[in-house]
Amino acid sequence: MKPEISVVMPCLNEEETVGKCIDEINKFFEKEKINGEIIVCDNGSKDSSVKIANSKKARVIKQNIKGYGAACIKGILSAKGNIIVIGDSDGTYDFSEIPILIVPIKDGYEFIVGNRFNGKMKKGSMTYLHFVGNAFLSGLIRILFKSKIYDAHCGLRAFTKDAFKKMSLKSDGMEFASEMVIKAAKKKIKTCEVKVSYRKRKGKSKLNSLRDGWRHLVFILSSRLF
Ligand SMILES: Nc1nc2c(ncn2[C@@H]2O[C@H](COP(=O)(O)OP(=O)(O)OP(=O)(O)O)[C@@H](O)[C@H]2O)c(=O)[nH]1
Ligand SMILES: [Mg+2]
């Protein structure tokens, strides 16, 4: 039977948390009696992440191209549900909050982005540099593209398969998060933001503040020009 919801998790060396995330999602599916699927997208984990994901109720998708965006795109393309949720596999997002993200779809929203600033952000979960950088880049996207999103880099989001097709996403790296918000604004995809929690990550962060911040900035500015 075709799943109603596909949860897609990019994963790079997250053996400490990927299993717990899968359990959290399956618990939600069981509680809400949802026929859902979990897709873990890997492109080169050297730890036991893939082994753990394979041992649980999840499908592992391999991507040869490196990067967060490349992993997300491949995972989303293989998703069978019409509603897709993406979320990190580092334990930072509370997957029991998926209903908060998908309820707006019933009201006609096609793309729903989590907002950690309005939600419950646990102490120490975000560095001051990332907080300021995100606020600046989200503000720039709001000004340049008339977007209404205040947390453009939140990794927990939901969208319809149709909205994903309309966005025609191409970014391989972390700037994929900006690309989604920009394309949604440009293509007038009905978008809203909902409050979500954010917990301190376990394991090593894959975000390189300067390199990825710069890639976001270049992507945002070039999207305005072209
Ligand atoms: N498959 C794959 N997953 C990735 C890659 N880079 C990051 N990820 C995953 O994407 C998610 C986001 O990466 P994070 O390192 O958590 O980045 P972040 O959430 O912006 O930064 P933190 O606040 O430090 O967690 C995590 O689940 C990573 O494992 C990649 O190149 N390939
Ligand atoms: Mg993270």
Side-chain angles (χ1 to χ4, degrees):
M1 212 167 62
K2 195 177 151 177
E4 297 161 58
I5 302 175
S6 302
V7 180
V8 175
M9 284 199 298
C11 175
L12 185 67
N13 299 323
E14 305 288 6
E15 64 182 3
E16 269 190 78
T17 48
V18 68
K20 286 181 200 139
C21 293
I22 295 170
D23 291 344
E24 203 168 66
I25 301 163
N26 276 322
K27 209 167 137 192
F28 155 72
F29 285 157
E30 275 160 36
K31 189 173 161 234
E32 303 290 331
K33 296 190 175 46
I34 287 173
N35 171 27
E37 65 169 351
I38 303 171
I39 298 165
V40 173
C41 340
D42 174 77
N43 41 9
S45 288
K46 299 235 170 5
D47 66 359
S48 328
S49 298
V50 171
K51 202 170 140 205
I52 293 168
N54 273 323
S55 73
K56 297 200 173 259
K57 273 164 73 185
R59 187 151 57 90
V60 177
I61 296 287
K62 290 272 183 188
Q63 164 64 288
N64 296 325
I65 305 165
K66 292 218 173 308
Y68 165 80
C72 287
I73 292 172
K74 180 107 187 228
I76 297 163
L77 285 173
S78 80
K80 298 188 184 103
N82 283 331
I83 297 175
I84 297 159
V85 174
I86 57 170
D88 297 357
S89 48
D90 60 0
T92 46
Y93 295 105
D94 180 351
F95 289 101
S96 70
E97 293 180 347
I98 291 176
I100 303 172
L101 286 147
I102 57 178
V103 159
I105 293 178
K106 292 191 189 88
D107 300 323
Y109 287 94
E110 299 169 275
F111 179 40
I112 300 100
V113 187
N115 183 325
R116 298 165 289 180
F117 304 128
N118 266 335
K120 285 167 270 166
M121 199 185 287
K122 286 262 157 65
K123 210 171 163 224
S125 55
M126 192 184 281
T127 64
Y128 186 67
L129 180 65
H130 290 176
F131 177 83
V132 173
N134 186 346
F136 170 72
L137 294 167
S138 298
L140 197 60
I141 294 174
R142 286 198 306 281
I143 292 166
L144 297 180
F145 304 96
K146 294 194 172 71
S147 155
K148 293 189 176 73
I149 300 300
Y150 281 77
D151 185 6
H153 299 148
C154 179
L156 187 63
R157 19 184 94 186
F159 45 89
T160 62
K161 199 167 230 174
D162 280 350
F164 173 72
K165 284 182 195 152
K166 279 191 259 178
M167 287 188 235
S168 149
L169 302 161
K170 304 272 186 300
S171 299
D172 289 340
M174 291 287 192
E175 68 280 12
F176 174 81
S178 290
E179 185 184 18
M180 278 189 111
V181 175
I182 292 170
K183 294 268 181 74
K186 276 185 163 180
K187 310 232 172 213
K188 307 224 179 313
I189 289 169
K190 204 171 172 201
T191 304
C192 69
E193 225 174 20
V194 294
K195 294 176 190 182
V196 297
S197 309
Y198 197 54
R199 307 182 288 213
K200 198 169 173 352
R201 92 170 338 275
K202 291 213 171 75
K204 206 166 165 273
S205 176
K206 313 301 167 318
L207 186 72
N208 179 319
S209 313
L210 288 181
R211 180 201 63 198
D212 293 316
W214 176 250
R215 284 178 69 138
H216 276 289
L217 183 62
V218 170
F219 183 85
I220 294 166
L221 297 176
S222 59
S223 299
R224 189 69 192 92
L225 294 173
F226 306 108

Coordinates of all heavy atoms in Angstrom, one line a residue, residues 14 88-93 116 198-199 201 205-207, ligand 2:
E14 N 25.9 9.6 11.8 CA 25.1 10.0 12.9 C 24.7 8.7 13.7 O 23.5 8.5 14.0 CB 23.8 10.7 12.4 CG 24.0 11.9 11.6 CD 24.6 13.2 12.4 OE1 24.9 13.1 13.6 OE2 24.7 14.2 11.7
D88 N 16.6 16.3 10.2 CA 17.9 15.8 10.5 C 17.9 14.5 11.3 O 17.0 14.3 12.1 CB 18.7 16.9 11.2 CG 18.9 18.2 10.4 OD1 18.5 18.2 9.3 OD2 19.5 19.1 11.0
S89 N 19.0 13.8 11.1 CA 19.1 12.5 11.9 C 20.0 12.7 13.1 O 20.6 11.7 13.6 CB 19.6 11.4 10.9 OG 20.7 11.8 10.2
D90 N 20.2 13.9 13.5 CA 21.2 14.1 14.6 C 20.5 14.3 16.0 O 21.2 14.7 17.0 CB 22.0 15.4 14.3 CG 21.2 16.6 14.1 OD1 20.0 16.6 14.3 OD2 21.8 17.7 13.9
G91 N 19.2 14.0 16.0 CA 18.5 14.1 17.3 C 18.0 15.4 17.7 O 17.5 15.6 18.8
T92 N 18.2 16.4 16.9 CA 17.8 17.8 17.3 C 16.3 18.1 17.1 O 15.8 18.9 17.9 CB 18.6 18.9 16.4 OG1 18.5 18.5 15.0 CG2 20.0 19.0 16.8
Y93 N 15.7 17.4 16.2 CA 14.2 17.6 16.0 C 13.4 16.6 16.7 O 13.8 15.4 16.8 CB 13.9 17.7 14.5 CG 14.6 18.9 13.9 CD1 15.7 18.7 13.1 CD2 14.1 20.2 14.1 CE1 16.3 19.8 12.5 CE2 14.8 21.3 13.6 CZ 15.9 21.1 12.8 OH 16.5 22.2 12.2
R116 N 12.3 27.5 14.8 CA 12.9 27.2 16.1 C 13.0 28.4 17.1 O 13.1 28.2 18.3 CB 14.3 26.6 16.0 CG 14.3 25.3 15.1 CD 15.7 24.9 14.7 NE 16.2 25.9 13.6 CZ 17.3 25.8 13.0 NH1 18.2 24.8 13.4 NH2 17.7 26.6 12.1
Y198 N 13.8 22.5 19.3 CA 15.2 22.2 18.9 C 16.0 21.8 20.1 O 16.1 22.4 21.1 CB 15.8 23.5 18.2 CG 17.0 23.2 17.3 CD1 16.9 22.3 16.3 CD2 18.2 23.8 17.6 CE1 18.0 22.0 15.5 CE2 19.3 23.6 16.7 CZ 19.2 22.7 15.7 OH 20.3 22.4 14.9
R199 N 16.7 20.6 19.9 CA 17.4 20.0 21.0 C 18.9 20.0 20.6 O 19.3 20.2 19.5 CB 17.0 18.6 21.2 CG 15.5 18.4 21.4 CD 15.1 17.0 21.7 NE 15.1 16.1 20.5 CZ 14.3 15.1 20.3 NH1 13.3 14.8 21.1 NH2 14.4 14.3 19.2
R201 N 22.4 18.8 19.6 CA 22.8 17.7 18.8 C 23.7 16.8 19.5 O 24.5 17.2 20.4 CB 23.3 18.1 17.4 CG 24.7 18.3 17.4 CD 25.5 18.5 16.1 NE 25.1 18.1 14.8 CZ 25.2 16.9 14.3 NH1 25.7 15.9 15.0 NH2 24.9 16.8 13.0
S205 N 28.9 18.1 14.4 CA 28.2 18.9 13.4 C 28.8 18.8 12.0 O 30.1 18.7 11.9 CB 28.1 20.3 13.8 OG 27.5 21.1 12.9
K206 N 28.0 18.8 11.0 CA 28.5 18.7 9.6 C 28.5 20.1 9.0 O 28.9 20.3 7.8 CB 27.7 17.8 8.7 CG 27.4 16.4 9.3 CD 28.6 15.7 9.7 CE 28.5 14.4 10.6 NZ 27.6 14.4 11.7
L207 N 28.0 21.1 9.8 CA 27.9 22.5 9.3 C 29.2 23.2 9.5 O 29.7 23.2 10.6 CB 26.8 23.2 10.0 CG 26.4 24.6 9.6 CD1 25.7 24.5 8.2 CD2 25.5 25.2 10.6
Ligands
MG2 MG 21.7 19.5 12.9

